[in-house]
């Protein structure tokens, strides 16, 4: 029985806990809210997210003791919003992860530092990247809860680690495959949220499917230019970890980034959209991180720039998308 520490109480943490525990792993599930932990222990359900999922408390051990969860596990899975990663991980001793393997299930970057989650973990805990991995889609937590056919890619420079965690996830409705492109997969997971958010803004303004298709096809080129400038290597961007993840986030009804963008396009302020959703849209923070990294790279990124101007410079969405449409091909 594999022992896993799951950090996070949201929908993705809930979905991963369901998969891992039903496959036989023991999951030490850390959640910040004491009330949510107590609710789980009483009812077997997460009261806030994917509440239809019933957890087996013989294999799922909810706790508010972060260090105890980490100490009890061989694997650490990070599934908290990127904005909260640093604050939570600073509570863990630097030597606590020695001998453990760490998987990031976070589709965002560390705000302010503008670094990937795996890079931050490697630096903070003095871990080689061969002890790290990342989970990529296309896979919405809501469909996992419904046990709909889903596909995951585990990226790690260590092929054995990627295969081992893939094996822990495979079941009758989840196919998981290993890959070695850690940085490319992680950057694409971050950037597809920016594209979904921008597409949502356009949809909120009344743009249709034709524009959305052109936006997404241009986005693939934009993402390729950016990632190649940072980490040049051959990549088949038609793969599910790249294009597949982008498509599901850009088009799905479950995409919180598309929903967030749609609200901004319809006239909501950033703050009011965030409050009404009661969920974190990682793309909001990712826009700033990727835009600031690109100030040095100077890669052509019209979609990311448009999103930044709308969200952080308060340019009118209607004006900015009008300018963007002239730059797309």
């Amino acid at each position: 029985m594999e022992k896993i520490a799951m950090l996070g109480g949201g929908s993705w943490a809930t979905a991963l806990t369901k998969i891992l525990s039903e496959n036989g792993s023991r999951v030490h599930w850390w959640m910040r809210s004491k009330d949510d932990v107590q609710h789980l222990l009483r009812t077997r359900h997460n009261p806030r997210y994917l509440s239809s999922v019933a957890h087996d408390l013989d294999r799922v051990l909810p706790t508010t003791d972060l260090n105890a969860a980490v100490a009890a596990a061989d694997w650490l899975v990070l599934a908290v919003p990127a904005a909260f990663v640093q604050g939570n991980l600073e509570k863990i001793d630097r030597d606590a992860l020695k001998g453990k393997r760490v998987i990031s299930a976070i589709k965002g970057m560390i705000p302010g530092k503008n670094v990937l989650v795996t890079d931050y973990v490697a630096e903070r805990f003095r871990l080689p990247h061969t002890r790290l991995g990342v989970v990529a889609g296309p896979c919405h937590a809501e469909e996992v809860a419904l046990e709909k056919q889903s596909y995951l890619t585990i990226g790690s420079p260590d092929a054995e680690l990627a295969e081992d965690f893939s094996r822990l996830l495979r079941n009758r409705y989840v196919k998981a495959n290993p890959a070695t492109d850690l940085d490319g997969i992680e950057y694409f997971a971050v950037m597809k949220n920016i594209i979904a958010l921008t597409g949502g803004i356009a949809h909120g303004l009344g743009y249709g499917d034709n524009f959305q298709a052109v936006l997404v096809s241009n986005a693939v080129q934009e993402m390729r230019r950016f990632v190649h400038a940072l980490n040049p290597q051959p990549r088949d961007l038609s793969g599910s970890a790249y294009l597949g993840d982008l498509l599901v986030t850009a088009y799905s009804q479950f995409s919180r980034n598309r929903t967030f963008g749609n609200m901004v396009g319809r006239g909501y302020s950033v703050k009011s959209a965030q409050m009404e959703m009661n969920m974190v849209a990682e793309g909001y923070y990712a826009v700033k991180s990727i835009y600031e990294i690109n100030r040095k790279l100077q890669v052509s990124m019209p979609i990311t720039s448009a999103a930044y101007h709308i969200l952080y410079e308060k340019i009118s969405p209607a004006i900015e998308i009008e300018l963007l449409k002239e730059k797309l091909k």
Side-chain angles (χ1 to χ4, degrees):
M1 182 180 290
E2 294 282 352
K3 294 173 289 186
I4 298 166
M6 179 68 63
L7 271 61
S11 56
W12 196 212
T14 306
L16 289 171
T17 296
K18 168 183 165 63
I19 298 169
L20 292 164
S21 62
E22 290 180 355
N23 280 356
S25 295
R26 175 166 291 180
V27 182
H28 299 265
W29 190 2
W30 175 81
M31 305 173 77
R32 184 181 60 176
S33 169
K34 188 176 294 185
D35 289 342
D36 290 355
V37 167
Q38 291 301 317
H39 189 277
L40 257 167
L41 290 171
R42 287 195 311 271
T43 70
R44 302 189 299 137
H45 297 270
N46 183 342
R48 298 177 187 270
Y49 302 98
L50 304 188
S51 55
S52 64
V53 175
H55 298 278
D56 181 352
L57 296 182
D58 289 331
R59 291 178 179 170
V60 177
L61 308 173
T63 180
T64 57
D65 190 331
L66 177 58
N67 284 286
V70 171
D74 303 311
W75 295 84
L76 174 62
V77 179
L78 304 174
V80 297
F84 304 144
V85 169
Q86 188 174 356
N88 286 318
L89 293 189
E90 284 179 350
K91 299 172 184 175
I92 302 173
D93 186 82
R94 281 182 178 271
D95 296 323
L97 301 189
K98 282 186 177 179
K100 302 183 190 296
R101 295 192 277 186
V102 182
I103 300 291
S104 173
I106 300 167
K107 310 288 180 76
M109 303 184 73
I110 308 297
K113 289 184 173 292
N114 297 341
V115 298
L116 295 172
V117 172
T118 55
D119 288 339
Y120 172 75
V121 171
E123 179 185 359
R124 163 75 185 166
F125 296 100
R126 299 185 287 266
L127 293 177
H129 279 79
T130 52
R131 305 295 294 178
L132 303 171
V134 62
V135 179
C139 189
H140 279 304
E142 291 82 359
E143 291 200 353
V144 170
L146 296 170
E147 299 190 354
K148 291 184 177 291
Q149 186 63 52
S150 301
Y151 294 77
L152 292 169
T153 300
I154 311 304
S156 174
D158 185 276
E160 184 178 355
L161 181 151
E163 173 56 31
D164 286 348
F165 200 73
S166 295
R167 176 175 47 80
L168 297 180
L169 293 169
R170 292 183 188 124
N171 61 24
R172 64 178 175 80
Y173 60 90
V174 175
K175 290 190 175 182
N177 296 297
T180 56
D181 182 22
L182 176 64
D183 283 357
I185 289 172
E186 194 167 4
Y187 271 117
F188 259 71
V190 171
M191 295 178 69
K192 52 94 177 180
N193 289 330
I194 299 173
I195 308 308
L197 191 156
T198 309
I201 292 173
H203 184 267
L205 289 167
Y207 287 79
D209 292 344
N210 293 342
F211 180 79
Q212 181 83 350
V214 172
L215 180 76
V216 170
S217 61
N218 276 259
V220 175
Q221 301 170 50
E222 179 168 317
M223 295 159 78
R224 175 189 56 79
R225 290 192 295 267
F226 180 82
V227 173
H228 187 77
L230 285 170
N231 186 291
Q233 62 173 277
R235 293 181 174 94
D236 179 7
L237 300 185
S238 65
S240 61
Y242 307 101
L243 180 59
D245 205 7
L246 170 62
L247 290 175
V248 77
T249 307
Y251 287 100
S252 174
Q253 61 176 324
F254 295 124
S255 171
R256 66 189 67 177
N257 289 282
R258 178 178 167 84
T259 300
F260 175 81
N262 185 57
M263 294 171 73
V264 171
R266 286 162 46 205
Y268 282 73
S269 68
V270 167
K271 187 173 182 179
S272 60
Q274 289 172 326
M275 290 177 64
E276 183 159 325
M277 283 182 62
N278 195 32
M279 298 175 80
V280 174
E282 292 281 18
Y284 171 71
Y285 301 100
V287 166
K288 191 170 189 291
S289 292
I290 297 297
Y291 184 86
E292 290 180 349
I293 292 171
N294 196 47
R295 281 177 171 162
K296 294 181 180 179
L297 296 177
Q298 291 297 300
V299 171
S300 174
M301 301 186 72
I303 301 172
T304 300
S305 296
Y308 180 85
H309 296 156
I310 293 168
L311 297 178
Y312 289 93
E313 295 183 346
K314 295 182 171 55
I315 304 298
S316 162
I319 292 173
E320 195 61 42
I321 298 299
E322 183 72 23
L323 293 172
L324 174 62
K325 79 177 189 182
E326 298 302 321
K327 299 174 185 176
L328 302 181
K329 298 178 182 179

